[in-house]
Amino acid sequence: MNTLKVTELSKTFASKRVLDYIALECSTGDVLGIFGSNGCGKSTLLKILFGTIKADTIRMEFNGKPIAVKDVIPQQTISYLPQDPFLPKGLKVRDVIPLYYKGDLQDKIFYAPGISKMAATQVGKLSMGELRYLELLLVGNLSHPFLMLDEPFSMVEPLYKEKIREFLTQLSATKGIIVTDHYYKDVLSISNKNLLVKNGRMVTITNQNELAALGYLPAAKTVL
Amino acid sequence: MIPKAFWNYFLTINLFNFPASALVAISGLQWFPISFCTFGLGMGLLAYHTFYKQQYYFYYNLGYTRTRLAVMVFICNLVIAIPLIILLSL
């Protein structure tokens, strides 16, 4: 059981305070959904936790012990699926997988549903859904205790969405997962804790109606 | 053992480094190995940052920071350049 605790996280861009002393906690078994309108700081938050953007202030604890954000990558504490594709486009899928995994773990990816049919395809020629699914499999199967996903459901066809939901549900047994996406129904279907970023603060929410009440969804959605 | 993933980064950096260092070598062949570890390498890193910035996440997830990757490429290039420097000085 691993726990990641973040407190006093703040970030200002120019004169705009995007994240205002926010706190969150994620443990093994948790799927923490983070919602918020465009530009509210969701991706910034994930990048800060991963160490690729510097926060103004932050305190981070891993299993009760302080951890410097700059050590997150070298210590392989969190794996991260960024919003934009990150795999080398010129390589074939079957050549990319061995760059990440060896032996049995490599087989696990090759034999995952849907991978064999794209093995001979160049990464740059995959559809958005196929690419997102492949990236998720590569990042999700790493041994890091935490996984952060920035828009894993965006531009993904329903068939792959289903595979992604199943995969994340399986993974949550051994990892803590933080996921942010505007496809709130997909996120809510797998998450057990949810937060909304609003005016730089984190608000705990429990269902879709609260997302509407807090202005993230149009009010009509609650009636339907 | 250096993981396979690193060689992909190494090759991409040196794909930019090689022509830059070849240009430097116009003023004297002995400058090629020196540029290969300095100016050319800098050009390679700059080009990677410009054209493939997003691919750094590929390496971050494997535990490599940008600094570590750059240092590893520098060391590998040094291993290639030193024998060349000696050879060209004979």
Side-chain angles (χ1 to χ4, degrees), chain A:
Chain A
M1 173 86 169
N2 295 296
T3 302
L4 187 72
K5 192 176 175 184
V6 180
T7 51
E8 296 175 31
L9 194 166
S10 64
K11 177 69 184 173
T12 306
F13 286 116
S15 59
K16 190 188 174 192
R17 175 144 281 200
V18 180
L19 300 167
D20 191 10
Y21 284 90
I22 62 158
L24 61 89
E25 189 171 329
C26 183
S27 299
T28 305
D30 282 341
V31 178
L32 173 62
I34 298 178
F35 303 95
S37 48
N38 290 329
C40 74
K42 302 184 302 294
S43 296
T44 302
L45 167 66
L46 299 192
K47 285 178 183 170
I48 286 172
L49 300 183
F50 195 54
T52 51
I53 288 185
K54 208 170 173 209
D56 298 338
T57 60
I58 185 168
R59 272 176 192 268
M60 207 168 177
E61 283 181 15
F62 176 59
N63 292 337
K65 292 177 183 166
I67 178 173
V69 176
K70 68 176 176 55
D71 293 331
V72 167
I73 290 173
Q75 291 183 9
Q76 302 188 30
T77 311
I78 304 173
S79 52
Y80 174 51
L81 177 74
Q83 200 171 338
D84 299 313
F86 67 91
L87 295 178
K89 288 183 181 136
L91 297 179
K92 288 184 175 168
V93 172
R94 65 173 174 229
D95 298 323
V96 167
I97 295 168
L99 298 181
Y100 255 53
Y101 296 99
K102 291 177 191 167
D104 289 348
L105 277 170
Q106 204 178 103
D107 292 344
K108 197 174 168 182
I109 309 291
F110 274 117
Y111 293 123
I115 292 298
S116 60
K117 71 169 184 179
M118 62 172 95
T121 311
Q122 272 191 340
V123 168
K125 290 182 178 166
L126 294 175
S127 71
M128 196 60 202
E130 288 173 326
L131 180 57
R132 214 66 187 134
Y133 178 59
L134 173 66
E135 287 182 335
L136 180 62
L137 283 178
L138 287 174
V139 170
N141 280 298
L142 291 168
S143 59
H144 304 46
F146 292 94
L147 171 64
M148 293 192 305
L149 307 165
D150 196 348
E151 304 200 352
F153 298 108
S154 294
M155 310 285 286
V156 174
E157 63 186 273
L159 204 64
Y160 278 101
K161 274 190 185 178
E162 187 53 40
K163 285 178 187 169
I164 290 172
R165 278 197 300 266
E166 282 172 20
F167 177 59
L168 293 180
T169 306
Q170 270 177 17
L171 273 187
S172 66
T174 54
K175 284 177 190 284
I177 300 174
I178 300 173
V179 54
T180 172
D181 207 307
H182 289 303
Y183 289 81
Y184 58 92
K185 286 180 184 172
D186 292 306
V187 176
L188 287 171
S189 71
I190 56 166
S191 61
N192 63 335
K193 294 201 280 187
N194 297 288
L195 297 167
L196 175 73
V197 184
K198 193 172 168 68
N199 301 326
R201 297 292 180 125
M202 285 286 200
V203 184
T204 303
I205 55 138
T206 52
N207 56 48
Q208 193 175 321
N209 289 346
E210 287 181 11
L211 283 175
L214 288 162
Y216 175 65
L217 300 177
K221 291 269 182 189
T222 58
V223 179
L224 294 173

Side-chain angles (χ1 to χ4, degrees), chain A residues 50 52 73 76 79-80 82 84-88 100 142 144, chain B residues 1 4-5 8 54-55 57-65:
Chain A
F50 195 54
T52 51
I73 290 173
Q76 302 188 30
S79 52
Y80 174 51
D84 299 313
F86 67 91
L87 295 178
Y100 255 53
L142 291 168
H144 304 46
Chain B
M1 198 181 115
K4 278 184 191 175
N8 188 62
Q54 188 62 14
Q55 283 183 26
Y57 283 96
F58 182 78
Y59 302 99
Y60 293 156
N61 276 310
L62 290 170
Y64 293 98
T65 58

Side-chain angles (χ1 to χ4, degrees), chain B residues 21-69:
Chain B
S21 297
L23 269 177
V24 171
I26 291 171
S27 58
L29 198 58
Q30 72 278 13
W31 288 105
F32 179 83
I34 294 166
S35 169
F36 195 63
C37 297
T38 55
F39 172 75
L41 176 59
M43 288 292 107
L45 292 169
L46 187 68
Y48 196 91
H49 181 79
T50 307
F51 302 116
Y52 302 107
K53 192 178 175 186
Q54 188 62 14
Q55 283 183 26
Y56 272 113
Y57 283 96
F58 182 78
Y59 302 99
Y60 293 156
N61 276 310
L62 290 170
Y64 293 98
T65 58
R66 262 183 216 209
T67 310
R68 188 172 166 204
L69 284 167

